[in-house]
Amino acid sequence: MASNSRGIGTRKKIVESVKAEIIAKGPAKTSISAITSRIGITRSLFYHYFADKEEAVSAALDAVIDDFVNDLILWDKKHRSAEINTALTDLAELLIHIVREDGPFREGLSLGGGEDLYLRFMDRTARQISAHFTQLGALRAQTQNTALENIEDTVYVLLVGLVALIRTTPDISASTVRLLLAQSLHVQNFIR
């Protein structure tokens, strides 16, 4: 059992090293040597966990996305019985926080030829969050009696648009994001 937990720990250290290298140098300049040097392991140990750099980078993307999804799950647990305006305000603040907090990683992805990787990251993030979003108790009751169809795809489009809006409008308020969420999701009884 101890060997398995050490293996999980080593894999996690490699993923954290990949994230740090991407932030520091961008994906194109991130090398297996730099990843392994950062945490003091051999290349052969790296290859025990990952077939190549691309697989390790993909694992790093998944780790960042998992953090976002976990934030969303925690939000849902806090707001299942909350009044909808409070839940939407906190969700808007969470989205702003996620976009602003992923700044160093996102910026690292777009360094030196990583634009395609950044687009894949954004797409995977929006897909994962929209898939979980449809299961959230805090909003499910508010949206299930609306005329919305394809709610998961609607949330995906909404997230992609909100991320772009938040990135390009740094001073956007949580109340504006809350209003956009409510209007887009046709939340009933929404009060400004």
Side-chain angles (χ1 to χ4, degrees):
M1 187 65 138
S3 176
N4 188 30
S5 64
R6 260 187 283 150
I8 292 169
T10 301
R11 187 178 196 287
K12 186 175 180 176
K13 286 179 185 175
I14 293 170
V15 168
E16 291 302 315
S17 179
V18 170
K19 288 182 346 187
E21 285 296 313
I22 287 172
I23 290 169
K25 301 174 187 170
K29 293 183 180 176
T30 294
S31 67
I32 293 172
S33 295
I35 294 166
T36 57
S37 293
R38 183 178 282 271
I39 56 174
I41 65 168
T42 63
R43 287 176 70 89
S44 62
L45 187 57
F46 173 90
Y47 285 118
H48 175 74
Y49 292 97
F50 298 100
D52 54 26
K53 181 181 99 169
E54 296 308 314
E55 187 177 306
V57 167
S58 184
L61 295 180
D62 288 340
V64 172
I65 294 166
D66 287 347
D67 289 344
F68 296 161
V69 170
N70 287 334
D71 285 347
L72 192 61
I73 290 168
L74 290 173
W75 170 85
D76 185 51
K77 286 180 182 176
K78 179 181 173 186
H79 293 90
R80 284 194 180 176
S81 61
E83 183 262 331
I84 191 63
N85 288 325
T86 302
L88 282 175
T89 298
D90 288 351
L91 180 58
E93 290 170 356
L94 174 62
L95 289 173
I96 290 170
H97 171 76
I98 286 172
V99 171
R100 291 186 181 147
E101 286 301 309
D102 87 335
F105 187 73
R106 178 179 32 85
E107 289 169 17
L109 285 176
S110 57
L111 287 175
E115 295 82 9
D116 179 57
L117 188 58
Y118 171 73
L119 291 175
R120 286 190 298 167
F121 168 68
M122 291 307 299
D123 179 60
R124 285 166 68 172
T125 302
R127 281 281 168 216
Q128 285 286 339
I129 290 176
S130 62
H132 281 80
F133 193 89
T134 60
Q135 303 304 312
L136 298 177
L139 291 178
R140 191 175 331 138
Q142 294 293 323
T143 58
Q144 71 187 134
N145 295 324
T146 68
L148 279 179
E149 294 182 23
N150 304 317
I151 189 150
E152 187 173 324
D153 291 333
T154 301
V155 171
Y156 171 81
V157 170
L158 177 59
L159 287 173
V160 171
L162 282 173
V163 166
L165 181 64
I166 293 166
R167 285 185 59 221
T168 60
T169 314
D171 59 342
I172 193 166
S173 69
S175 62
T176 299
V177 174
R178 176 185 68 161
L179 180 61
L180 292 170
L181 282 165
Q183 289 174 338
S184 299
L185 296 174
H186 299 234
V187 173
Q188 296 176 3
N189 303 322
F190 179 74
I191 302 168
R192 283 183 173 222

